């Protein structure tokens, strides 16, 4: 017996487009099919991959997704989760049954907090890592999950989204602006200069932030967006050995660090600074 189509995907069907020909989809059983004959099957885990190739375009692997799920489940980033939901609620105030698109959603941790805050909101989490999409597909009963490449044209129609979220994720400003409804918002959360500074000091190979990160972000967004509100968040998080390992393993630094060196050998600090900046942008 075929599994039912995830209910959270149904509100997005009229917005999704074939990544090959940009035509709308029809749903047959568990397959999205366009008039030109391109088809995409829903995975057993509940997400749909709209990547045009057979291999995911991702630096994340199963271990990174599992580490992210493990670390975030400790509550260490709950203040960031709350800040994200606060700004999303402000952006969507007065909007009936809004659509929220979460780019680079990972496990769906932040999207689920927004959906908890805003009854009636429908979420779509986008990633390229299959393991992350498995987590995201079950993160919330109003969260669908789909795979596509953020650097390619999004398989979404114009002006069909009320909020685009980008939390520690790559950005495509032109596509963000295209899919947003007029007057709606982009929410970007990114690390500040001192984010995880103690880990970088103690763990060889940790990726260091670009000192021109804010300047580059402003340059990239300026043709499409103007900033409306920015809120910094800085706090200290206590770490045990497992949390420190997961925190490193869930970031791009996992590809450059000997994770075994963190296991019970005093290779990580007991506390770490979490420092981020969250901003709301409105299309020009």
């Amino acid at each position: 017996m075929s599994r039912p189509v995830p209910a959270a995907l149904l509100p997005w069907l009229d917005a999704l487009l074939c990544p090959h020909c940009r035509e709308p989809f029809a749903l047959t059983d568990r397959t999205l099919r366009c008039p030109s004959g391109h088809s995409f099957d829903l995975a057993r885990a509940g997400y749909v991959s709209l990547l045009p190739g057979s291999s995911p375009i991702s630096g994340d692997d199963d271990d990174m997704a599992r580490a992210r799920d493990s670390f975030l489940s400790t509550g260490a980033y709950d203040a960031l989760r709350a800040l994200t939901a606060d700004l999303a609620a402000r952006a969507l105030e007065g909007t009936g049954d809004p659509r929220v698109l979460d780019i680079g959603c990972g496990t769906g941790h932040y999207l689920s907090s927004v959906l908890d805050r805003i009854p009636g909101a429908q979420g779509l989490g986008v990633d390229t890592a299959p393991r992350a999409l498995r987590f995201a597909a079950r993160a919330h009963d109003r969260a669908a999950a789909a795979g596509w490449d953020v650097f390619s044209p999004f398989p979404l129609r114009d002006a069909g989204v009320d909020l685009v979220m980008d939390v520690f994720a790559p950005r495509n400003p032109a596509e963000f602006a295209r899919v947003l409804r007029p007057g709606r918002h982009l929410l970007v959360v990114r690390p500040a200069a001192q984010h995880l500074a103690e880990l970088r000091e103690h763990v060889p190979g940790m990726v260091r932030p670009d000192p021109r990160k804010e300047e580059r972000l402003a340059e990239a967004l300026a043709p499409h967006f103007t900033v409306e509100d920015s809120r910094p968040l800085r706090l200290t998080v206590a770490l045990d050995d497992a949390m420190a390992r997961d925190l490193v393993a869930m970031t791009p630094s996992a590809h450059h660090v000997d994770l075994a060196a963190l296991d019970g050998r005093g290779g990580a600090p007991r506390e770490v600074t979490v420092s981020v900046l969250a901003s709301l942008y409105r299309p020009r």
Side-chain angles (χ1 to χ4, degrees), residues 138-159:
R138 60 176 186 262
H140 196 280
D141 60 3
R142 284 182 277 117
W148 71 64
D149 179 13
V150 69
F151 297 114
S152 298
F154 295 176
L156 283 177
R157 64 178 173 86
D158 295 355

Side-chain angles (χ1 to χ4, degrees), residues 9 12 25 70 101 121 139 158-159 182 188 191 202 205 207-208 236 241 252 272:
L9 183 62
W12 289 91
F25 285 117
S70 177
L101 178 67
D158 295 355
V188 177
H202 288 83
V207 175
R208 296 186 176 275
T236 300
D241 287 342
V272 67

Side-chain angles (χ1 to χ4, degrees), residues 93-110:
E93 186 175 3
T95 306
D97 297 334
R99 282 176 170 164
V100 180
L101 178 67
D102 186 6
I103 297 296
C105 67
T107 62
H109 184 73
Y110 301 103

Side-chain angles (χ1 to χ4, degrees), residues 12 100-108 110-111 123-128 133 144 146-156 161 163-173 175-177 179-180 186-189:
W12 289 91
V100 180
L101 178 67
D102 186 6
I103 297 296
C105 67
T107 62
Y110 301 103
L111 178 59
L124 178 63
V126 175
D127 211 291
T128 55
L133 289 169
W148 71 64
D149 179 13
V150 69
F151 297 114
S152 298
F154 295 176
L156 283 177
V161 174
L163 177 68
V164 175
M165 293 172 49
D166 186 286
V167 183
F168 299 147
R171 290 172 287 273
N172 187 334
E175 284 298 282
F176 292 169
V179 302
L180 276 171
L186 165 67
L187 170 56
V188 177
V189 181

Side-chain angles (χ1 to χ4, degrees), residues 7 13 31 42 64-65 74-75 87-90 116 118 124 136 146-147 153 164 167 171 195 198 204 213 217:
L13 290 180
T31 299
L42 272 67
M64 292 174 71
T74 68
L87 283 171
R90 181 200 152 176
D116 280 340
I118 306 169
L124 178 63
V164 175
V167 183
R171 290 172 287 273
H195 186 59
E198 296 85 357
K213 189 178 187 68
L217 176 64

